[in-house]
Amino acid sequence: KLKTGCQWEYLPDSYPPKSTVHDRYTLWKKAKVFYRLFRKTRCRDPKQAVVHIDATIREQKGGTQISRAGKFKSSKITALCNEAGQIQQFDIGNGGESDHKAVKSIIPHIPSNTYVTLDKGYDSKKLRRQIRYQQARPLCPRRQFENLPTRRTPKPYIYKSRWIIEQAFSRTDQFRTLAMRYERNPYNYKQYWYLALAWLELQKLTG
């Protein structure tokens, strides 16, 4: 179901009845099995020097968090990624929500003594102060205006590594349940993200 996005009644014949599979999924969801699996597969390296924050938009067929972004309904996934390409923390919001609001739940999870790279969409004095309060240093290009001199991007050799979080998002496209949001319940949709991110890390370990 995670890989193909099929409905419960269309599971392979080798599986138990759909009611049994769904009941087991509900029990694991209530016991936070998927969340614990996600946390166990995260790297907790205290020496990490750079983390990245970015967001991706996923087209949404339904759900309680619905917003218009262009001509389609969407959900915004805001994530914190480390140097190894692991998504350490993420949150799901409305597709039309501003980056400044969507990142609020991510800021408390920023590790101290690190550089935090962000794109121009996050450029604000308030957000920079919040990141510095976490004892981290923001690396965010400032918005450019025609009547002002061009501002240089701080630490460009570090900022160039933002491709890591873009690659981390692209790895999740192999899961149809994540690439297109069919799940109406935002809590259930988040469980699929927990499971998929844990699965990706387990694949690295097992080869």
Side-chain angles (χ1 to χ4, degrees):
K1 180 175 175 62
L2 179 65
K3 196 82 170 179
T4 63
C6 71
Q7 299 179 6
W8 295 106
E9 56 264 30
Y10 298 128
L11 291 174
D13 296 335
S14 58
Y15 282 68
K18 65 175 183 178
S19 58
T20 304
V21 177
H22 186 270
D23 289 345
R24 184 60 57 87
Y25 163 77
T26 303
L27 288 174
W28 287 357
K29 179 181 66 175
K30 290 181 178 179
K32 297 185 177 181
V33 172
F34 304 121
Y35 173 76
R36 286 184 289 166
L37 185 61
F38 167 76
R39 296 312 310 171
K40 288 290 186 181
T41 56
R42 299 305 95 185
C43 174
R44 296 178 178 83
D45 184 5
K47 297 181 180 179
Q48 58 184 330
V50 182
V51 294
H52 311 280
I53 293 179
D54 204 355
T56 184
I57 298 294
R58 297 299 165 95
E59 189 174 347
Q60 180 173 326
K61 291 297 185 181
T64 58
Q65 301 184 35
I66 294 178
S67 174
R68 291 286 179 178
K71 296 183 179 180
F72 57 89
K73 302 174 183 178
S74 61
S75 296
K76 175 177 285 188
I77 317 298
T78 306
L80 173 73
C81 176
N82 64 8
E83 293 177 280
Q86 285 186 343
I87 293 179
Q88 299 287 323
Q89 191 70 30
F90 68 93
D91 195 18
I92 301 172
N94 297 329
E97 189 176 24
S98 68
D99 291 336
H100 301 127
K101 293 181 179 179
V103 78
K104 285 182 178 179
S105 61
I106 303 296
I107 292 176
H109 301 279
I110 296 175
S112 60
N113 302 319
T114 58
Y115 287 104
V116 184
T117 70
L118 311 99
D119 59 28
K120 290 182 182 179
Y122 298 94
D123 181 25
S124 73
K125 293 182 179 179
K126 182 178 179 180
L127 182 57
R128 292 173 189 274
R129 285 196 299 266
Q130 291 174 340
I131 294 176
R132 291 191 180 102
Y133 184 77
Q134 296 294 123
Q135 299 181 0
R137 184 174 178 181
L139 298 180
C140 180
R142 297 183 182 274
R143 292 186 176 92
Q144 305 291 339
F145 299 95
E146 293 182 359
N147 58 341
L148 294 176
T150 303
R151 298 179 178 182
R152 177 177 176 273
T153 301
K155 305 284 185 182
Y157 58 91
I158 295 179
Y159 191 81
K160 287 180 180 179
S161 63
R162 278 187 58 79
W163 62 269
I164 293 175
I165 190 169
E166 301 291 346
Q167 186 183 69
F169 279 134
S170 67
R171 289 196 189 103
T172 64
D173 290 340
Q174 61 183 286
F175 304 103
R176 190 180 179 190
T177 304
L178 306 186
M180 172 75 70
R181 179 176 170 180
Y182 295 95
E183 180 59 56
R184 292 183 175 272
N185 189 321
Y187 182 76
N188 288 344
Y189 186 58
K190 199 168 189 177
Q191 301 307 305
Y192 290 132
W193 271 89
Y194 284 141
L195 181 58
L197 294 174
W199 188 352
L200 289 173
E201 292 306 315
L202 292 174
Q203 280 183 331
K204 292 180 182 178
L205 296 174
T206 58

